C-alpha cells in the first residue's frame, strides 16, 4: 500500500507530467483556408474548430469602423462571410454554393473555388489565385498586378508583397515568440522600399489561443508629421 506522503508525491508527479504533455502538444495550426481568407480579406486568422465568429474594429471614439462575420463547416470551409467597411460605406455578403461564393442578395457568382473551399478566381476583377502543396494561397495574379503571400510553419500569415506597374508594396508581420499569442504582432509597410507605416497589436486570448479582444496602434509615416491612430478589436467566437 502506498503511504499518504508517497501518494501525494505521486499525484504531484503525474500532474507535472500531464502539464508537460499539454505544453509539448502546442497550439493548433492555422488551416490553409483560414490563413488564406484572412490574408485576402484583412481579418485576424483563428485556430481550431470555429463554428462562427465576428470581428469588430472600433476607433478611439468607440465607433465601429469595420466588421467581419463568418460561419464555417466542421471541415473548416467558410459557409458564409460578410465584410462591412463602415468608414467607406461598402460591404459584401458571400454564401458558399457548390464551387462558388455567391452574393447573398443577388445570387451572382462572385468567387470561384478550387478543391473543396479554397480561393481560385475572382472573375469580375480578372484575378486568379495559386496555392502551394499544402493548400495555402501563395500567389494572386491580375492584369497589372501580382501578390505573393508568406506563412510560418504554423500557417500564420507573415505578410504579402504586391507589385503593380511601377509600385512595390510590402507588408511584413512579426508575431510574438509565444506560439500561443500569434496575434500579438508588429507589422511594417513599405512602398518602393520607403517606410509607409507600422502596426502593433496586443490581445487577450481564450482557451483555443484565439484573440477575444485586442488593442491596435497604427502609425502612418506617409505624411509629415506621422499620424497615430488607436483602435480596439472585439471578437466573438463559437466552436464545434
Amino acid at each position: 500500500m502506498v503511504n499518504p506522503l508517497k501518494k501525494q508525491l505521486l499525484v504531484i508527479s503525474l500532474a507535472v507530467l500531464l502539464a508537460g504533455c499539454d505544453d509539448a502538444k502546442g497550439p493548433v495550426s492555422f488551416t490553409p483556408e483560414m490563413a488564406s481568407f484572412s490574408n485576402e480579406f484583412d481579418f485576424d486568422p483563428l485556430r481550431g474548430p470555429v463554428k462562427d465568429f465576428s470581428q469588430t474594429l472600433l476607433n478611439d471614439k468607440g465607433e465601429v469602423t469595420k466588421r467581419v462575420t463568418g460561419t464555417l463547416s466542421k471541415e473548416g470551409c467558410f459557409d458564409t462571410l460578410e465584410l462591412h467597411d463602415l468608414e467607406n460605406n461598402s460591404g459584401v455578403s458571400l454564401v458558399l454554393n457548390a464551387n462558388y461564393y455567391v452574393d447573398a442578395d443577388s445570387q451572382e457568382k462572385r468567387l470561384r473555388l478550387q478543391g473543396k473551399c479554397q480561393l481560385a478566381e475572382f472573375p469580375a476583377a480578372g484575378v486568379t489565385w495559386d496555392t502551394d502543396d499544402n493548400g495555402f494561397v501563395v500567389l494572386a495574379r491580375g492584369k497589372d498586378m501580382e501578390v505573393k503571400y508568406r506563412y510560418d510553419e504554423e500557417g500564420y500569415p507573415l505578410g504579402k508583397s504586391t507589385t503593380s506597374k511601377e509600385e512595390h508594396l510590402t507588408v511584413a508581420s512579426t508575431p510574438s515568440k509565444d506560439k500561443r499569442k500569434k496575434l500579438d504582432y508588429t507589422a511594417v509597410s513599405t512602398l518602393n522600399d520607403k517606410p509607409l507605416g507600422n502596426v502593433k497589436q496586443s490581445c487577450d486570448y481564450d482557451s483555443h489561443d484565439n484573440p477575444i479582444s485586442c488593442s491596435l496602434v497604427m502609425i502612418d509615416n506617409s505624411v509629415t508629421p506621422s499620424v497615430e491612430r488607436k483602435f480596439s478589436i472585439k471578437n466573438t467566437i463559437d466552436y464545434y
Side-chain angles (χ1 to χ4, degrees):
M1 181 179 293
V2 179
N3 68 44
L5 177 59
K6 287 185 178 180
K7 184 176 182 180
Q8 185 178 12
L9 290 173
L10 179 60
V11 170
I12 293 173
S13 297
L14 285 171
V16 171
L17 180 62
L18 290 172
C21 289
D22 288 342
D23 290 340
K25 184 179 178 182
V28 175
S29 296
F30 299 91
T31 66
E33 292 78 19
M34 177 61 76
S36 301
F37 274 62
S38 70
N39 242 341
E40 197 62 46
F41 300 113
D42 193 25
F43 62 89
D44 287 338
L46 302 173
R47 308 176 190 260
V50 175
K51 184 177 182 180
D52 59 74
F53 73 96
S54 69
Q55 294 184 9
T56 304
L57 181 70
L58 303 98
N59 61 23
D60 56 3
K61 296 179 181 179
E63 300 167 334
V64 176
T65 60
K66 291 184 181 181
R67 179 180 287 120
V68 178
T69 62
T71 61
L72 293 90
S73 66
K74 288 185 178 181
E75 294 75 27
C77 297
F78 281 87
D79 288 331
T80 65
L81 185 64
E82 292 188 33
L83 311 161
H84 299 283
D85 184 343
L86 282 76
E87 277 188 321
N88 298 302
N89 194 31
S90 64
V92 65
S93 181
L94 302 173
V95 177
L96 182 63
N97 186 346
N99 62 332
Y100 278 90
Y101 282 105
V102 301
D103 186 282
D105 296 322
S106 68
Q107 297 300 302
E108 177 187 354
K109 292 180 179 179
R110 291 295 186 92
L111 304 175
R112 186 175 64 82
L113 304 179
Q114 56 179 306
K116 200 169 184 180
C117 49
Q118 185 57 286
L119 298 169
E121 183 184 10
F122 184 5
V127 174
T128 59
W129 289 280
D130 294 341
T131 56
D132 63 11
D133 292 340
N134 295 315
F136 289 83
V137 167
V138 291
L139 182 66
R141 290 193 184 96
K143 182 179 179 181
D144 296 312
M145 71 88 186
E146 181 178 273
V147 186
K148 295 179 180 179
Y149 304 89
R150 297 187 301 115
Y151 309 86
D152 68 8
E153 69 281 355
E154 293 180 51
Y156 175 81
L158 292 175
K160 51 189 175 182
S161 177
T162 305
T163 302
S164 177
K165 295 183 179 180
E166 301 301 318
E167 293 188 337
H168 183 65
L169 173 66
T170 63
V171 179
S173 178
T174 303
S176 167
K177 292 182 179 180
D178 185 341
K179 291 187 176 183
R180 296 189 182 277
K181 297 182 177 182
K182 287 281 187 177
L183 274 301
D184 287 13
Y185 70 87
T186 58
V188 178
S189 301
T190 60
L191 180 62
N192 295 336
D193 298 324
K194 294 181 180 179
L196 191 62
N198 59 75
V199 175
K200 185 174 183 179
Q201 179 170 289
S202 59
C203 305
D204 294 321
Y205 294 80
D206 65 13
S207 59
H208 290 267
D209 305 310
N210 284 323
I212 53 176
S213 63
C214 303
S215 60
L216 180 70
V217 178
M218 301 177 64
I219 298 177
D220 183 356
N221 295 322
S222 66
V223 295
T224 304
S226 298
V227 176
E228 179 181 285
R229 300 182 68 189
K230 294 183 178 180
F231 298 88
S232 60
I233 302 173
K234 304 299 182 184
N235 295 342
T236 63
I237 310 170
D238 291 324
Y239 297 93
Y240 282 103

